[in-house]
Amino acid sequence: MPKKLFWFLILLILIYEVILLVSGGFSVRFGGLTILFERTSDPILLIILLAGIQFLSARSFRCSVKDVISKIVQNRKRLIAFVLGLIIFEMVLGFLHVYFSGRTFAFDLDREFNLPTYFSAILFLLNFFIIGTIYYSEKNSGLTQKEVWVISIIFLFLSLDELGRFHEATIPFLERNIPSLVSVFNSNKYWVVVMIPFILLTIFLLFTLMYRKLRIHPWLLAGTVLALILWIIVLWLELWEGYPAGTYKFKVLVEEEFEMLGSTVFLSVFLVYLKIQNDRHHVLQC
């Protein structure tokens, strides 16, 4: 995609986002068909999709991403500050969730299409950019595996799914075709049946790939294991129905904070790995 067209589309989407925020939504009528435009997450979703396509298809865009990542990893203090900044922001979101509990949806970790949702989607997108950078940087030197590309695409999907809630679109289909699930899962947990194979594949690919790449770096391998454990706890909390009365808000807080922290740990591992590879092989040169 040409760079000018890419930024023109981004500008149009941002204008659309402003219109949605100011108007609270609007409708367009075509004959007898009325189309509603009311979800403010849709423009952000389109921006993430366009950014992903541009990264995969345009070398110049990848070089721009490389330059930004290079500035972060080449300075150890800057790298630490970047990661700590993400973690502090996650803690602030948790505090705002507790402080404004029941008063506004903007910081509610149990609601969608708000600041925590956008931040979580951005974390997944950053992982996509960084893992994709690892793949394209090492491709020319023969240091990479194809699984790296697969994992980067998985993180792009997770970023899009965080806003689009694609997994929840499977609920009506499963209700119609597998009604026996009603006795097994709560109505909003049917998607687990579809997502569990995907989740297990992701965990397997991440662990096996990172083990091959990081076994000579025990601390990075330990970080990978920690991130996977955090995500497994998130999945368990998502399915847990027998929590004590009055603890639901705390359960949500732990679940969402662990999800964001797991993404941040992965991001930290990938950034440190890139720093090591760049120090040895100058892989971030475009």
Side-chain angles (χ1 to χ4, degrees):
M1 183 186 300
K3 186 182 293 186
K4 289 184 179 179
L5 175 60
F6 171 74
W7 289 113
F8 176 71
L9 291 174
I10 295 295
L11 178 62
L12 286 181
I13 293 170
L14 289 174
I15 293 172
Y16 172 54
E17 171 79 358
V18 171
I19 293 173
L20 276 181
L21 289 173
V22 172
S23 66
F26 60 94
S27 62
V28 178
R29 185 180 295 274
F30 294 97
L33 178 64
T34 300
I35 302 176
L36 295 176
F37 298 90
E38 55 185 3
R39 278 179 40 170
T40 56
S41 66
D42 290 339
I44 310 298
L45 183 70
L46 288 172
I47 289 175
I48 289 175
L49 181 59
L50 283 174
I53 293 172
Q54 188 73 352
F55 181 82
L56 294 172
S57 62
R59 185 176 182 274
S60 60
F61 188 80
R62 289 198 295 271
C63 285
S64 299
V65 173
K66 267 187 183 182
D67 289 340
V68 174
I69 294 175
S70 178
K71 289 177 181 178
I72 293 174
V73 302
Q74 285 181 353
N75 186 302
R76 181 174 297 180
K77 291 182 178 179
R78 191 177 298 157
L79 174 58
I80 294 173
F82 177 71
V83 174
L84 285 180
L86 292 176
I87 294 174
I88 291 171
F89 190 74
E90 291 161 13
M91 294 173 65
V92 170
L93 287 177
F95 170 78
L96 293 174
H97 165 76
V98 174
Y99 184 78
F100 290 103
S101 179
R103 287 184 280 175
T104 176
F105 86 99
F107 309 111
D108 192 339
L109 294 173
D110 198 30
R111 303 279 293 275
E112 309 298 340
F113 316 127
N114 54 13
L115 184 58
T117 303
Y118 297 148
F119 179 70
S120 184
I122 290 171
L123 280 178
F124 285 130
L125 183 66
L126 288 176
N127 273 289
F128 160 72
F129 282 143
I130 293 167
I131 300 169
T133 298
I134 291 174
Y135 174 77
Y136 286 108
S137 298
E138 295 184 343
K139 186 178 179 182
N140 296 331
S141 57
L143 296 172
T144 193
Q145 289 93 15
K146 291 181 179 179
E147 293 94 327
V148 180
W149 187 84
V150 175
I151 292 172
S152 70
I153 297 300
I154 287 174
F155 271 98
L156 177 60
F157 170 77
L158 290 173
S159 179
L160 294 170
D161 182 67
E162 190 69 22
L163 293 175
R165 316 304 295 172
F166 303 131
H167 61 272
E168 293 181 359
T170 63
I171 292 175
F173 172 81
L174 294 171
E175 285 180 329
R176 288 194 306 268
N177 295 278
I178 316 178
S180 58
L181 288 176
V182 175
S183 61
V184 180
F185 294 105
N186 196 333
S187 60
N188 63 344
K189 306 293 173 63
Y190 296 154
W191 59 266
V192 173
V193 176
V194 176
M195 293 296 289
I196 277 182
F198 175 79
I199 293 169
L200 292 177
L201 174 63
T202 303
I203 291 175
F204 173 76
L205 285 175
L206 280 169
F207 181 77
T208 54
L209 176 70
M210 300 314 286
Y211 176 75
R212 287 202 300 269
K213 282 187 169 295
L214 302 179
R215 58 189 171 187
I216 59 173
H217 307 294
W219 286 108
L220 295 186
L221 185 59
T224 301
V225 173
L226 172 61
L228 290 174
I229 290 173
L230 289 170
W231 278 6
I232 290 170
I233 293 173
V234 168
L235 182 60
W236 174 71
L237 288 172
E238 180 72 28
L239 296 174
W240 185 30
E241 297 291 343
Y243 48 85
T247 62
Y248 178 73
K249 289 181 181 178
F250 177 73
K251 168 184 171 289
V252 169
L253 175 64
V254 174
E255 178 185 335
E256 298 301 325
E257 287 289 317
F258 274 23
E259 178 184 321
M260 291 186 288
L261 182 59
S263 297
T264 305
V265 173
F266 269 127
L267 187 145
S268 305
V269 168
F270 298 138
L271 282 175
V272 173
Y273 174 79
L274 259 181
K275 176 175 175 55
I276 293 172
Q277 290 298 86
N278 190 55
D279 289 345
R280 293 178 177 177
H281 306 287
H282 306 288
V283 295
L284 290 176
Q285 291 181 353
C286 216

